[in-house]
Structure formats: structure tokens, C-alpha cells
Amino acid sequence: MTIATGSLERMGKDAKEASFALAALSGKQKAALLLFLADTLEANMDAILQANAEDVAAGREAGLTEGLLDRLFLDAGRVSGIARDVRAVSALPDPVGEVLDGRSLDNGLFLVRRRVPLGVVAAIYEARPNVTIDVASLCLKTGNAVILRGGKETVRTNAVLVSLIQLALERHDLPRQAVQAITDPDRSLVTALLQLDRYVDMLIPRGGAGLHRLCRENSRIPVITGGIGVCHIVVDQSADLAAALPLIENAKVQRPSVCNSVETVLVHRNIAAEFLPRLAAHLTPLGVTLHAGEAALGYLAGHPDVVVPVQAEEYDREWLSLDLNVEVVDSVEDAVRHIREHGSGHSEAILTESMTEAEYFIQAVDAAAVYVNASTRFTDGGEFGLGAEVAISTQKLHARGPMGLDALTTYKWVAQGRYTVRK
Amino acid sequence: MTIATGSLERMGKDAKEASFALAALSGKQKAALLLFLADTLEANMDAILQANAEDVAAGREAGLTEGLLDRLFLDAGRVSGIARDVRAVSALPDPVGEVLDGRSLDNGLFLVRRRVPLGVVAAIYEARPNVTIDVASLCLKTGNAVILRGGKETVRTNAVLVSLIQLALERHDLPRQAVQAITDPDRSLVTALLQLDRYVDMLIPRGGAGLHRLCRENSRIPVITGGIGVCHIVVDQSADLAAALPLIENAKVQRPSVCNSVETVLVHRNIAAEFLPRLAAHLTPLGVTLHAGEAALGYLAGHPDVVVPVQAEEYDREWLSLDLNVEVVDSVEDAVRHIREHGSGHSEAILTESMTEAEYFIQAVDAAAVYVNASTRFTDGGEFGLGAEVAISTQKLHARGPMGLDALTTYKWVAQGRYTVRK
């Protein structure tokens, strides 16, 4: 064991120990801790901005893209926004302690399931420093300790943020080890972290497909993977075509860089001749490039500037850009087959007036969120009314789709008897 | 890719395809399928018993222990028992299709969460052929396809059982690939199976600690680990000591070989002098050996035949035998510290008349099941009223403790709009 992984073991042990103190807190105590943290962030604005300016300068020198630099960058407005988010989390109902169900059993036990914190959560993420506060506040709200591993680009900002969180913990007589950060940029520490299943109960990767794959393939800790959205909209023959145009625009153009934006539109053959040219005409002025399948290409001859033939592998690609695949399908069944082959289980939509086709689509498509006559862009904790979003899961265990605070909890079975024995 | 792992890939793909057909079945159809399967098992009693006799003979020749041979062995009574269990599963309510919750959102969506099958489950288990039918019937009941990997000792029995399941599937116009078995004894296939996360949604190991560790360390598929029970009973100073004796007897002696039997009894110092000799006197005639900690030893000098000094590592050991650790603790807090260090998060009990100590113990002990004045032996799907037991989970994600049919399901978010777009 190297010194570094030895200290990681220590970190895990400390986090587990700290988690016991957090689990015993009342909702009121956790809310007060978070309000104090929000105030502390604003009161230490200068220190945060100075560390961040150093991170940004170092990042610029290291040749980070403007996009990455923007994710990294904080100003007073952004810090206030982060503090506001912490206050919003503080104000949410505390899920811990809820009784999920219970009954008196014939065997003499009175049995209830009580919602409890998971224990220790680990989060691995990339350049954005707001994730540090976001994940920490969600974990503290639910009584979990957390080990954070942010991107190396943001190490100075994160050091200040974590020290402010630890200050807030200490002022509330809580162990500072409740929130710890791995600041050593050595990548082998990530691999070592993934082996800490003895102490860490759940791992949340927040980043691109590569990070999720790394975690799924190497982690002994249960992982919540997700975030990759290869999303489809099926335009059935009975769809309201005029209404479909702004809906597809919303799904593609409103925020192309996010996981719930649409990748591929599948158009029923019976309306393809009418709809595809209208779609091209609608999206062209918005800067969208259509990647057309073989059948679709024939209907789009009038739009040579914005239409290119789709490459087979592009059906599996999360665009995150103003690119959109379009293809013709013979039926909704045919569309479902396409989605089963290429979808990532994130968000899938059908536009139809047919109850039968809608119900078939809902049943047959295996995805976290299935939409009828709505944009895929709604897959989001806020839009779904969850109050906060921990992550979006595209796996099926524990939590699927937008994960709220509940996803940071588990339950224990509590049974009371009168010196009751099993017969 | 070897031919064998290539065929495993095919198996996964076929299972996924078959899962779509299963997911579309009504509760009535699934119940009918299982009743037919139960009848088919009894109608083919001779073929099952003949294959099993060959497995038992081969096992005897290979030098299997009598214990293993007994697990492997089937007779007419055991096969009828298996068929009866299938009928019981058939009669359970179908969890699939349940609406978990729902609401009309301000953004214009009508949103519900629908319970749906997981998709494809894989199970890895050891010698007992009843697990083949047990896991298959639970999966079919919940609309999941399943890939089974049983022990090589039971390969002939399993071949017959799986062919009968596939016969039942075909008679109901369902793909036989809904239930498939890996019969090739090559152990590298297990490793390859653990990489099939593209097709398999959940992995259930049913076996000892080694199998669970293998799966946790190597699986890309989300695993439900559990089954290892290092369980404690704390005898607080206010406990009813007369009632504590038969309770501890129940937890240790009724069925020592199972995960919910007790490993360690922790006795409050203030009653140790009275209780420990009574405990020894009570358990001695039942064949129990006490492994006493340093402090406990002093109180047990009168029982040299049945008391040995505990070895430090025995506090972490799942006994599965008539052995029991005993030690003295200064307080319930002290007992909780011991449990945090040595418990496996399975089942923990306190015997006390103090509401305060009971509530502290419930809150502070991090385990799937926490008991007040009841035996640890109750941790069981049947005893908890779940109807069926898929496994007992000691991890915290997805399901904790006894897992019923619900644990073989997930949910999808279904949102209906009127060509609704995100603002």
C-alpha cells in the first residue's frame, strides 16, 4: 500500500465514523448547518474568488478550452447563486426518519421500515466547482458523509470551498471529516477510491461517458451511472405536425449541450413527405444540421445546405450540439426497434394522437423517462418536482431518471417484539 | 473473443430480446405460465429424479461431502415441494404495472411512475437445484428474463429443469430464451458473464462470502450482495434475563447454519455476573460452545468444558455452527461500537426495557434489520410478510434486508403533455 492509498483508507474510515454523527442529526439541525454554510460562502466571497482566479489563470496557461474555463470560472453572481442553491436545499423536507411502511405481523413483531442515510457517498466529477457545494449540501441534508474528488483544474477553488464547509461543520460540533476532498491530482487515487467499498456506500460519477465507464468497470462500490442521453422523438402518422415543429425545436435547440436534448427524430413513412421538408425549413434558420438516413434523404433534396447523410455510428452518438439525425420508420413498432438498438435508456418521446400507439410506446420503450406529446427536455429533478437533483440515472437499480434526495437514503427494518422468538 | 464468450454475448442479446416479450405480459398470463410450470414439473418427475440421481452419483464419486450431496439431492417429496413453491409464487400479486406515485405538474405534464420489470437478471449459485426453479419463477412472475449459472455438481438436474421451463414458455408462445442456463462448467464464463452489463440489469449471487466477493470485485453489472450475517444480541442491564435465555437459544440453536443466526452476545457489565453463568448453564445442554472475551471469561470459570477464550478474528466470523462469542460491555454505546467494528450489517438485536436505550440502538446501529426484544432469526422474506424472498441484501442500494418481488422491478417515469415544451 502506498502512502497515498493508505491515507485514502484513513479518509474512508474517518468518513464512516463521521457518518454516524450525521445520521443522528435532526432535520432542524441539518437545515441550520446548511444556512450557516450559505452565509459562510457569501462572507468569504473574496477568498473564493481569489482561489478561483488562480485556477482560471493556471487553466488558461495549461491551454484549457474556453468552454472548460467558463465552467471553472466563478464571479460574485455565481457564488451568490451557489449560496442560494444551498439555502434552497436547506429548505427542502428532510427525508430521513420517514416511515415507509409498517405492520403488526402474525409472528408477534411490530415491523416498520425507517428511511435512513446511506452513510458515506463518494463523488467524482470534473471542472465545475459548484458541484463541490452542490453534492456536499445534498449529502449533508440527507445525513451522509461525502468524499469529493473534483477535477484537478479546480483544486484551489475546491480547497477553499471544502475548508469553508469544514468550518461550518466544526461550528456545529460536527466532525470536519464529514466532508473531505481528495486534492492530490494523482489519478491512481481514483482507482484506489473505487476499491473503498468497505467504507463507501455509493459512488456518484458526474461527468462524461468515459468517467461513467471507468466507474462501472472498476468500482467495487455500487455506482449510480447515467447522464448519457441518446434520446429520440417519434413522429407518428397521427401527430399534430404543426405542433411537432416547435416541440422538436425545444428538444434540440433550447440547450443542445445537455443530456436530455434530442439526438434522433424518427418519422412515420405516411407523413414523411409532408413533415420532413417542413422540419428542415423550421430548423434551418436555427442553425441545425440534419443527418438524414437513407429513406429520409429522399425527402430532403430541397435542403442540400443543411442536410448530410447520416453515418451509421451517429445513431449511437450523444450529439450535445445542433446536429440531429432524422430517419423514416414504417411503424411505431419499427421506431421502438430502432430505439432499443440505439437508445441509452434516458428519455424517449412519441408524438401521436393515437391512444393505442401511445400506450404501446410507453410499455415497449425501456427508458428512464417516456414522453407522450412532450419534449424530452423535461427529464430533470426540478421539472419533475423533486426539489433537488442528485444526478440522472440511466441504470435501473435504486433510482432511475432524475434522482432526488430520497436517492441518497436507504431504509432499515426495525422490529419490536416482546422477547419474541421465531417458531 | 473465444467461442464460449461469443455464445454468452448471444445469450445476453437473446435474453434482452425475450425480456421485451415478458414485460408485455399481464399478471394473469404470468400466473398461468407458472401454474403450467408447476404441473409440468410434477408430470416429469421421473426425468428430474433420474437426472438428479446421476448428479448425485457423480458427486459421490467426486467426493462431495454428505452436506453438499444432501443439498443436491431431490426425491419426489422435494420436487413436489418445489412445484408447491412455484404455485405460491404464481398466486402472489403482480407488482408490475403498479403506479408508485404521480401528479400534474405546473409545467403542464401529467407525470406518473410506473413499476416495470428490470429486464434481464443473472443468478450465480451453487449446488442446490431448487434455486434454479425458485429464481426462474420469481423472475418470470415479475416479467424478467433470466440467465442462470448453477453449480457444476447439478448440471444434469438443471438441464432437465431448464428444458421444462422452456417447454412451459413455448406452450405460452413465449421465447425459450426468457430462461437460459450456462451449462458449460468453464469458470471463465462466470467472469465473462460479469462483463455483460450491456444486456444484464442485475446480478444476484446466491452463495457464500467468496462468491459475493468475486461478484462485487469483478462485476460491471449492478450486484445485490448480501447473505453474510455476523449478528449480535446485546443484553442490556434492564433486560428480562429469564426471557433472554430462550430468545438467545432461538437465535443460536434453532438453525445455526443460516445467516440470521447469532454470532456474538454482548452483555452489560452490571448484569454480567448474574447472566453469563445462567446463559452458559442454559446453552450447555444444547451443545453450544461459548467463545468468551477476556472480561466474560472471568464470569464463566464454572463452565470449563464449554467455554474457550475467543480469538480476536472470531468476532468477525459468521459461525454457521453451535459456536457463540460472548463478551462484556460497559454500556449500550460500547456495544454499538463493537457492532460497528464487527457486524456485517445484517441483523442486530438489543434486549432492554429502556425506551431510551432501545431508540438509541435503533438509530445508531447501521444494519438491514434492527430488533428490540426479538430474535435475529426473523430476518426473512416470509417472516416479514413479503410473500417470497429473492435474497437478503446487506448492501444499501436498491433493496436492503429481505428482498421481495418488488426488488426485481424498477420504474419508469411516464409523462403526458399536449405538445408541451420546456420553458
Side-chain angles (χ1 to χ4, degrees), chain A residues 118 362 365 396 411-412, chain B residues 118 362 365 396 400 412:
Chain A
L118 281 170
I362 291 169
V365 166
K396 298 182 187 173
Y411 52 84
K412 61 173 76 158
Chain B
L118 280 171
I362 290 168
V365 166
K396 298 182 186 172
R400 195 177 196 195
K412 62 172 76 157

Side-chain angles (χ1 to χ4, degrees), chain B residues 271-355:
Chain B
I271 52 152
E274 181 190 349
F275 185 67
L276 279 169
R278 287 174 69 181
L279 183 67
H282 187 92
L283 294 179
T284 296
L286 304 168
V288 175
T289 300
L290 296 182
H291 298 251
E294 210 170 333
L297 262 182
Y299 300 106
L300 292 166
H303 300 269
D305 294 350
V306 292
V307 177
V308 297
V310 72
Q311 306 300 310
E313 69 274 12
E314 290 176 342
Y315 284 130
D316 300 308
R317 178 164 171 185
E318 186 183 33
W319 278 117
L320 306 173
S321 61
L322 286 173
D323 293 86
L324 181 66
N325 306 320
V326 289
E327 184 47 313
V328 173
V329 289
D330 292 331
S331 60
V332 176
E333 283 84 348
D334 195 16
V336 166
R337 268 192 297 275
H338 179 101
I339 293 170
R340 284 178 178 167
E341 192 174 339
H342 301 288
S344 64
H346 194 293
S347 301
E348 308 293 357
I350 186 170
L351 312 184
T352 187
E353 288 304 308
S354 160
M355 289 294 290

Side-chain angles (χ1 to χ4, degrees), chain A residues 16-17 20 23-24 103 105 107 109 111 114 116-119 197 201-202 216-217 219-220 222 224 238-240 243-244 246-247 250 254 260 340 351-353 359 362-375 377-378 380 383-386 395-402 409-423, chain B residues 16-17 20 23-24 103 105 107 109 111 114 116-119 197 201-202 216-217 219-220 222 224 238-240 243-244 246-247 250 254 260 340 351-353 359 362-375 377-378 380 383-386 395-402 409-423:
Chain A
K16 180 58 84 181
E17 191 64 34
F20 299 133
R103 64 187 126 178
L105 297 167
N107 58 26
L109 296 183
L111 180 71
R114 277 197 202 186
V116 298
L118 281 170
D197 58 312
D201 298 291
M202 177 159 107
R216 198 167 56 244
E217 294 182 3
S219 179
R220 295 186 190 179
I224 294 295
S238 67
D240 178 336
L247 189 153
N250 180 258
Q254 191 197 29
N260 56 25
R340 285 178 178 168
L351 312 184
T352 186
E353 290 303 309
E359 182 51 31
I362 291 169
Q363 193 281 312
V365 166
D366 187 26
V370 182
Y371 294 91
V372 177
N373 299 339
S375 169
R377 287 276 294 116
F378 285 106
D380 173 272
E383 291 293 330
F384 278 11
L386 301 182
Q395 66 172 37
K396 298 182 187 173
L397 265 65
H398 190 64
R400 195 177 197 195
T409 68
T410 180
Y411 52 84
K412 61 173 76 158
W413 298 87
V414 177
Q416 290 182 260
R418 293 190 285 185
Y419 296 86
T420 311
V421 299
R422 183 163 171 185
K423 293 289 179 286
Chain B
K16 181 58 85 180
E17 191 64 35
F20 299 132
R103 63 188 126 178
L105 297 167
N107 58 24
L109 296 183
L111 180 72
R114 277 198 201 185
V116 297
L118 280 171
D197 57 313
D201 298 291
M202 177 160 108
R216 197 167 58 245
E217 294 183 3
S219 179
R220 293 185 191 179
I224 295 295
S238 67
D240 179 335
L247 190 153
N250 180 259
Q254 190 197 31
N260 56 24
R340 284 178 178 167
L351 312 184
T352 187
E353 288 304 308
E359 182 50 31
I362 290 168
Q363 193 280 312
V365 166
D366 186 25
V370 183
Y371 294 91
V372 177
N373 299 340
S375 169
R377 287 276 295 116
F378 285 106
D380 173 273
E383 291 293 329
F384 278 11
L386 300 183
Q395 66 172 39
K396 298 182 186 172
L397 265 65
H398 190 64
R400 195 177 196 195
T409 68
T410 180
Y411 52 84
K412 62 172 76 157
W413 298 87
V414 177
Q416 289 182 259
R418 293 190 285 186
Y419 295 86
T420 312
V421 299
R422 182 163 172 185
K423 293 289 180 283

Side-chain angles (χ1 to χ4, degrees), chain B residues 121-340:
Chain B
V121 173
I124 304 181
Y125 51 102
E126 293 167 350
R128 297 200 299 188
N130 61 311
V131 175
T132 304
I133 297 295
D134 184 28
V135 169
S137 62
L138 293 167
C139 286
L140 291 174
K141 177 73 189 181
T142 46
N144 290 289
V146 63
I147 298 175
L148 301 162
R149 163 72 183 206
K152 67 175 189 303
E153 304 79 10
T154 182
V155 64
R156 295 170 192 84
T157 314
N158 280 347
V160 173
L161 294 176
V162 170
S163 73
L164 294 173
I165 298 168
Q166 293 182 333
L167 173 73
L169 287 164
E170 284 178 343
R171 289 292 170 81
H172 289 77
D173 294 322
L174 292 165
R176 51 190 289 128
Q177 290 85 353
V179 178
Q180 300 175 86
I182 302 174
T183 49
D184 186 334
D186 182 356
R187 279 188 64 102
S188 73
L189 286 177
V190 171
T191 320
L193 173 61
L194 300 182
Q195 312 305 314
L196 277 192
D197 57 313
R198 186 162 167 210
Y199 304 112
V200 182
D201 298 291
M202 177 160 108
L203 174 68
I204 306 176
R206 298 246 301 222
L211 177 63
H212 283 270
R213 197 178 321 109
L214 175 83
C215 291
R216 197 167 58 245
E217 294 183 3
N218 295 288
S219 179
R220 293 185 191 179
I221 306 164
V223 187
I224 295 295
T225 58
I228 312 305
V230 178
C231 307
H232 301 76
I233 296 177
V234 178
V235 186
D236 186 25
Q237 57 181 335
S238 67
D240 179 335
L241 301 186
L245 296 172
L247 190 153
I248 294 171
E249 172 191 333
N250 180 259
K252 181 75 262 181
V253 178
Q254 190 197 31
R255 209 169 158 204
S257 65
V258 293
C259 58
N260 56 24
S261 65
V262 66
E263 269 61 40
T264 299
V265 171
L266 299 168
V267 180
H268 194 289
R269 186 171 298 281
N270 293 354
I271 52 152
E274 181 190 349
F275 185 67
L276 279 169
R278 287 174 69 181
L279 183 67
H282 187 92
L283 294 179
T284 296
L286 304 168
V288 175
T289 300
L290 296 182
H291 298 251
E294 210 170 333
L297 262 182
Y299 300 106
L300 292 166
H303 300 269
D305 294 350
V306 292
V307 177
V308 297
V310 72
Q311 306 300 310
E313 69 274 12
E314 290 176 342
Y315 284 130
D316 300 308
R317 178 164 171 185
E318 186 183 33
W319 278 117
L320 306 173
S321 61
L322 286 173
D323 293 86
L324 181 66
N325 306 320
V326 289
E327 184 47 313
V328 173
V329 289
D330 292 331
S331 60
V332 176
E333 283 84 348
D334 195 16
V336 166
R337 268 192 297 275
H338 179 101
I339 293 170
R340 284 178 178 167

